[in-house]
Amino acid sequence: MSDALTLLAFLGAIVVLVLFIARFKVHPVATLFIVVVALGLVLGMGGTGTVELVKDGFGNTLANVGLLIVFGCVLGKMLELSGAAMKITETALRLFSENKVPWAIALASTVLGIPLIADTAVVMLIPIVSALAYRTGISMMKLGPILYIGAYVMTSVIPPGPGPLASASLLDVSMGEAIVYGLAVGVPGILAATVYLTRTKTHVPPKPEFVEHLADAATGGTGATPGSTGSAGAPADDVAGASDAPRVGLFGSLLPILAPIVLIVFASLAGPALPEGSWVTATVLFVGEPTMALFLACLLALPLFRGRWRDKSTLNDLFEAGLRIAAMPLALTGVGGALATIIRETGVAENVAGTIESTGLSPVIIPFLIAAAVCTITGSNILGVMTSAAIMQPLLPALDLSPLVVYLACATGAQIMKHANSSGFWVTTTLSNMTVGQGIRSIGVASVISGVTGFAVLNVLIATGLV
């Protein structure tokens, strides 16, 4: 097949991918499989050859990242059900004065976005945030999107989020680098988006069902009024639901989140400097191997359940709940790996790279734009970062881009843009009592700001030679 037809087939596959998911609502896994098989057949790989490539790509990808995704999802579920996520949020709220409540929510959301999917963080914490809005008079158009955006960005840029895990594996980026540099581009994006959201002028009250108990308490003569605070200047205890406060400590809540990050980063940075063959080096590399580090994090989360850690509901049922969450990312990642294999083996990579070079565009803009297009059209940042990584992986040699740069470009591009085709958009908009227009002005614009800011930071890192 000629170069022009090969390139045309590749572009057609991308169009079909987006059209099936966004327009016809076909499941992403089925869509990816159809596109991969069709592309292999059209490019002359033959029926048997196409199936073999798909199986090889699927199996090799899951061999590298499968257990990472499983343990990451199990850890998130453990932190959710143990009360650790709630404890982290309440502590962040108590660290900030009343007029800094938006920044407290941003801090809590950022930390929780490391192990939790953004939608989950919103569903868990929106009652607390709504109560804060009632007490302080701050608009839900500020607080709801801030709650979402911190977790959303973290889910897009650093492991153990399923998208970053799969992307780093596809691009062969070390987990230590993915975490360190992911934070470097992600945190500025969260700060910029939060600044934008704090300047929102439209006032949106919380949903009545989240604050009825507070209104009843006020009319019952308790003296609780909107804007009342505790002695330290933080919102009153009942805002955070103190009566239902989880009986877990802050250190124990943070340990399962921070321990794997520290182990992975330390092994990545210190491992090469340690003497070869020593037991210290072997131990550091063993516990710092990402799969092992995440499994150890799951073990560290068990004490959060106190006496219940030995129960079947914790040791078995909770693990199964995490596996159910992991099923979708696992399947998407495997088929994404198959797509990368087809692109690499059929000569598409060289044709696409040649076309990009002829346009004169900086190559780093390509993964950013692909990820942004997939996220905006399909509504999924996870699909955006994984699909763009699968497409770009075979192009790395031809475009002379480092895997880390492409990883960060995919992660920042995949944040753009959240709107009415996204489950996270609807969850946050609905529970924050906003209209669709208000959701686009807040969540949509904030997601663009976070992604563009992160990409700008990436270009600074490139210009200074840090990546």
Side-chain angles (χ1 to χ4, degrees):
M1 182 178 287
S2 67
D3 290 349
L5 289 178
T6 299
L7 182 59
L8 187 63
F10 172 72
L11 295 176
I14 300 303
V15 171
V16 170
L17 174 70
V18 172
L19 191 64
F20 272 34
I21 296 173
R23 177 68 179 84
F24 299 111
K25 311 302 180 187
V26 181
H27 195 280
V29 175
T31 299
L32 270 172
F33 182 77
I34 292 169
V35 167
V36 169
V37 172
L39 192 60
L41 293 174
V42 169
L43 295 178
M45 302 304 295
T48 302
T50 297
V51 172
E52 288 301 317
L53 280 178
V54 170
K55 288 162 60 178
D56 289 345
F58 188 94
N60 291 337
T61 302
L62 288 189
N64 291 326
V65 77
L67 285 175
L68 280 170
I69 293 176
V70 169
F71 293 144
C73 291
V74 170
L75 176 61
K77 199 66 179 175
M78 295 179 80
L79 294 174
E80 174 190 345
L81 297 181
S82 66
M86 199 72 73
K87 180 65 178 181
I88 292 168
T89 303
E90 293 175 2
T91 302
L93 291 171
R94 289 187 171 90
L95 290 176
F96 290 79
S97 60
E98 181 179 305
N99 62 344
K100 299 295 184 183
V101 160
W103 291 100
I105 294 173
L107 173 61
S109 178
T110 299
V111 174
L112 294 176
I114 297 172
L116 294 179
I117 295 173
D119 300 29
T120 302
V122 171
V123 171
M124 284 180 57
L125 301 177
I126 201 69
I128 290 178
V129 171
S130 297
L132 283 166
Y134 177 82
R135 289 296 190 189
T136 62
I138 300 174
S139 173
M140 283 300 295
M141 195 170 167
K142 294 181 182 181
L143 300 187
I146 288 173
L147 171 62
Y148 178 73
I149 203 71
Y152 174 66
V153 173
M154 286 293 99
T155 302
S156 302
V157 299
I158 69 167
L165 269 177
S167 179
S169 176
L170 287 166
L171 296 168
D172 198 24
V173 175
S174 77
M175 293 299 161
E177 286 185 321
I179 291 170
V180 171
Y181 289 100
L183 288 170
V185 300
V187 171
I190 294 171
L191 293 175
T194 302
V195 168
Y196 165 75
L197 290 168
T198 57
R199 298 180 185 279
T200 301
K201 301 298 183 184
T202 305
H203 181 75
V204 176
K207 287 178 75 71
E209 54 263 42
F210 291 133
V211 296
E212 284 174 348
H213 64 291
L214 299 176
D216 292 343
T219 57
T222 62
T225 57
S228 65
T229 60
S231 59
D237 285 345
D238 61 344
V239 170
S243 60
D244 297 318
R247 297 179 179 179
V248 294
L250 179 63
F251 177 78
S253 299
L254 288 172
L255 186 61
I257 299 173
L258 301 180
I261 294 175
V262 172
L263 291 174
I264 292 169
V265 172
F266 184 74
S268 178
L269 299 178
L274 295 173
E276 289 188 28
S278 72
W279 69 269
V280 174
T281 304
T283 302
V284 167
L285 295 178
F286 174 68
V287 298
E289 200 282 324
T291 302
M292 200 64 213
L294 278 175
F295 179 70
L296 290 174
C298 293
L299 296 182
L300 290 172
L302 284 176
L304 294 171
F305 293 89
R306 298 183 181 262
R308 292 181 293 131
W309 77 266
R310 293 184 294 268
D311 296 349
K312 175 181 176 292
S313 60
T314 302
L315 294 177
N316 184 80
D317 298 352
L318 192 148
F319 201 90
E320 287 189 355
L323 285 174
R324 285 193 290 272
I325 297 172
M328 169 79 158
L330 280 171
L332 275 174
T333 302
V335 183
L339 175 61
T341 302
I342 291 288
I343 293 173
R344 185 172 55 249
E345 296 294 329
T346 55
V348 171
E350 291 77 9
N351 288 312
V352 174
T355 302
I356 292 171
E357 288 177 344
S358 67
T359 65
L361 288 172
S362 171
V364 73
I365 195 70
I366 304 303
F368 176 80
L369 292 178
I370 292 174
V374 173
C375 179
T376 300
I377 296 171
T378 67
S380 171
N381 61 318
I382 294 175
L383 189 61
V385 70
M386 288 196 296
T387 304
S388 56
I391 292 170
M392 291 304 301
Q393 189 268 340
L395 306 180
L396 294 179
L399 292 178
D400 194 28
L401 289 172
S402 78
L404 178 59
V405 167
V406 172
Y407 168 81
L408 296 173
C410 293
T412 53
Q415 297 168 38
I416 302 171
M417 114 180 225
K418 282 293 171 180
H419 59 96
N421 64 348
S422 161
S423 63
F425 175 89
W426 282 112
V427 165
T428 308
T429 299
T430 303
L431 296 182
S432 299
N433 204 26
M434 295 188 292
T435 65
V436 173
Q438 290 167 341
I440 291 174
R441 283 164 46 204
S442 56
I443 302 165
V445 175
S447 66
V448 173
I449 290 173
S450 67
V452 171
T453 301
F455 187 63
V457 172
L458 170 59
N459 280 274
V460 172
L461 295 175
I462 294 171
T464 54
L466 294 176
V467 294

